[in-house]
Amino acid sequence: MLLSNIFKEYNCFEDAVINNEKNFDYLGLTASDVNGLLCVFLDDEKYIDDIKTNVRMIITNKNIAKLLEGTNYGICIVDNPREVFFHIHNYLSDRRDKSEEKKKTIIGNDCDISNLASISKNNVKIGNNVVIEEFVVVRENTTIGDNSIIRAGSIIGGQGYEFKKTEKGILSVAHAGGVIIGNNVEIQYNTCIDRGVYDWDNTIIGDNCKIDNLVHIAHGVKISKNSMIVANVGIGGRTTIGQNTWIGFATTITNGVSVGDNARANIGSVVTKSIPDGGSYTGNFAIEHSIFMKNLKKSLSNNKE
């Protein structure tokens, strides 16, 4: 793809200045991990070091464009890079949705699907021996593996919460990705799992994961196998969670962090920084559990005095 062609089709952004234009395959963020050539936006110089080697085009402003002089990137200069980027994203998502051929939904053998469930007629794959209870909604671009259970009231593959403030109001960002749920997964009552934002991205729930009631899993989250997510947990977009991990009751995990293998985010934690493999973190903001307990005991001792 070329930005100049997209601008002509979209009939917008006439004031954009394109230098050293390069072809790209996908839109993404500076740190996106995807096979293919990327066009990204950059409106803060602190993210320059995050630019991946597969980035070819950068939508940015005049000040940052000067910092990128002498590089081999294609540069598109606009006043509001973030806004322009997501307008392009929405345009391409809509164009793709209208042009791509729909594939009829496939349902495996020996499934128990309630007549009160709503399953998209297109672009859904459901494996064998799957249970889907009443009032479950499964949107397009969803795959559910064998022997998985989706309890009543859950919504899989919905439009996520991604909005951008602009001078003209608040822009709703299209979600063009999907959801992949592995084998032997159980998702309990009234849980929401959003689809990925980008067409190359999916929200992924690994094999044997168990997810409790009223859990929100945002766009592009990756949860590895054998992990357990307890009720009332909120997991922000693009978070990665390792295998055999425990996320305790009412934990909040901010977007874009990672929780390692065999780790724990204990009850009520507010996780704003990544947790290493085997780590056990507690508190608001969450810190290593033993340090949290040491600080708590010290505080209680001081209060008694």
Side-chain angles (χ1 to χ4, degrees), residues 131 133-134 136 149-154 186-190:
V131 175
E133 295 185 344
E134 63 272 20
V136 168
I149 300 171
I150 315 295
R151 299 292 185 193
S154 292
E186 182 162 348
I187 297 167
Q188 295 195 322
Y189 304 96
N190 296 307

Side-chain angles (χ1 to χ4, degrees), residues 159-170:
Q159 171 84 3
Y161 188 89
E162 182 81 355
F163 299 92
K164 305 299 175 184
K165 288 186 176 181
T166 74
E167 293 179 357
K168 297 180 180 179
I170 298 177

Side-chain angles (χ1 to χ4, degrees), residues 215-229:
V215 171
H216 172 66
I217 298 174
H219 52 257
V221 169
K222 310 289 189 292
I223 302 177
S224 297
K225 64 182 182 180
N226 301 321
S227 289
M228 302 178 72
I229 316 293

Side-chain angles (χ1 to χ4, degrees), residues 31-81:
S32 292
D33 188 8
V34 57
N35 292 324
L37 305 179
L38 280 180
C39 173
V40 304
F41 75 91
L42 190 60
D43 58 3
D44 191 327
E45 63 182 82
K46 71 180 181 181
Y47 295 111
I48 289 178
D49 291 339
D50 292 337
I51 298 174
K52 296 276 190 175
T53 57
N54 59 338
V55 171
R56 292 296 179 269
M57 285 295 301
I58 299 175
I59 301 172
T60 190
N61 56 41
K62 293 179 181 179
N63 293 333
I64 295 178
K66 291 179 180 179
L67 299 177
L68 296 173
E69 288 180 356
T71 66
N72 199 34
Y73 300 119
I75 302 294
C76 176
I77 301 173
V78 295
D79 291 333
N80 298 294

